[in-house]
Amino acid sequence: DLPSVGTIKVHHPLTGKEWGYRMPGEGRGYTRTPSLIGLWSTAPFLLNNSVGKFNPSPSVDARMQSFQNSIEQMLWPEKRDTDRALGEKIPGVIDRTTAMSYLRIPKGYLPDVVQDLEELNELFLPTIFGEKGIEIGPIPAGTPVNLLANLNLLLESTNPIQQIAHQKKVLKLLFKIKHDLERLPKGASDEEARKVWANVVDPLLELNKCPDFVVNRGHYFGTSVSKEEPGLSDEDKRALIEFVRTF
């Protein structure tokens, strides 16, 4: 049970505004730093392979091209991809939906407590609950994927008081989504849906397990972004690239 690593800076997915998020503690541990051996063969970089251009070819030439593109983005963060919605307001990219969509969860995959209240759910939340399970939408194009994917519906705490308080927050959020979605006309456009979803972004963030949506930020060793030590010169960065290429 490790302590919290402290507060990190995250960014609002609609405005780009920076705010502090207290990292939870009492977890099982953290991912270890990967080895630099064979770095040329494992690009793009970071655990989610978000830094650098992916080349599906297994050839050595293709791997070296991907390595060069990726390592330059690591050492020159300004070369990394930027978000299509917020641009330079945030330090990277947020994965977003590309078309109007719906989130559908079959009844059999719902928590027991939700299935037990099936009739009440269909009566009071017909916009969300139906015979086949849960359907939330329409979700406009450009919605951050992790705004919904990271939603914390089930609290890990075994404290019954905390669980009840959390369930109240979840139900309150569902009622708000229901109320706002009912205001949409049939065949609503992305823009109309976007205005409605803007009202529930902050409540969704409050119940989000990880509100850090920028997928290609971090690991700023040797760059001017790092505040722990001065960045390397361009010449030193080039020399470092040639050195790790041989690992």
Side-chain angles (χ1 to χ4, degrees):
D1 293 341
L2 297 176
S4 169
V5 296
T7 300
I8 65 171
K9 297 295 184 181
V10 296
H11 300 81
H12 195 281
L14 290 189
T15 66
K17 182 179 179 180
E18 188 178 79
W19 55 286
Y21 172 69
R22 175 73 178 177
M23 293 287 286
E26 301 181 1
R28 290 171 289 181
Y30 308 103
T31 55
R32 67 177 179 84
T33 303
S35 170
L36 296 179
I37 296 175
L39 193 65
W40 64 270
S41 66
T42 59
F45 298 134
L46 298 189
L47 289 176
N48 56 9
N49 300 115
S50 62
V51 177
K53 183 178 180 180
F54 173 68
N55 190 327
S57 172
S59 70
V60 173
D61 285 343
R63 300 310 311 142
M64 294 305 294
Q65 290 174 15
S66 183
F67 164 77
Q68 187 67 32
N69 178 270
S70 303
I71 196 67
E72 287 187 6
Q73 289 190 29
M74 293 294 290
L75 293 174
W76 286 275
E78 62 272 17
K79 294 185 178 184
R80 299 184 189 184
D81 293 339
T82 55
D83 190 66
R84 65 176 185 267
L86 295 174
E88 300 295 334
K89 292 182 179 180
I90 60 175
V93 173
I94 292 177
D95 287 336
R96 299 177 183 272
T97 57
T98 57
M100 184 174 285
S101 53
Y102 291 80
L103 176 62
R104 297 185 176 96
I105 305 175
K107 188 179 299 184
Y109 288 93
L110 297 176
D112 292 339
V113 65
V114 177
Q115 295 188 47
D116 292 341
L117 299 175
E118 177 181 344
E119 294 184 0
L120 289 177
N121 290 332
E122 293 182 16
L123 177 62
F124 293 105
L125 295 170
T127 310
I128 296 176
F129 292 90
E131 294 182 0
K132 297 182 179 180
I134 289 180
E135 177 178 281
I136 299 177
I139 302 169
T143 300
V145 173
N146 286 331
L147 186 63
L148 295 173
N150 292 350
L151 198 59
N152 189 11
L153 297 177
L154 297 175
L155 195 66
E156 295 180 0
S157 172
T158 57
N159 186 311
I161 296 178
Q162 292 180 353
Q163 288 182 344
I164 292 174
H166 185 77
Q167 290 170 3
K168 286 183 178 179
K169 288 183 179 180
V170 172
L171 287 175
K172 182 179 179 180
L173 174 61
L174 290 176
F175 274 109
K176 181 171 179 58
I177 293 176
K178 167 188 177 293
H179 176 267
D180 289 351
L181 289 178
E182 285 181 340
R183 293 159 46 196
L184 283 174
K186 288 186 177 180
S189 66
D190 270 320
E191 189 59 35
E192 290 174 317
R194 198 169 289 119
K195 291 179 180 178
V196 168
W197 276 91
N199 294 327
V200 297
V201 168
D202 287 340
L204 283 169
L205 284 174
E206 290 180 12
L207 290 174
N208 204 281
K209 286 185 176 181
C210 181
D212 185 8
F213 297 162
V214 180
V215 297
N216 62 336
R217 74 167 183 150
H219 203 297
Y220 295 122
F221 168 79
T223 73
S224 58
V225 178
S226 176
K227 297 179 180 179
E228 298 178 357
E229 54 188 14
L232 300 175
S233 66
D234 286 354
E235 183 179 1
D236 285 342
K237 290 179 182 179
R238 296 291 180 191
L240 178 60
I241 291 174
E242 294 307 313
F243 179 59
V244 299
R245 191 194 303 272
T246 64
F247 282 19

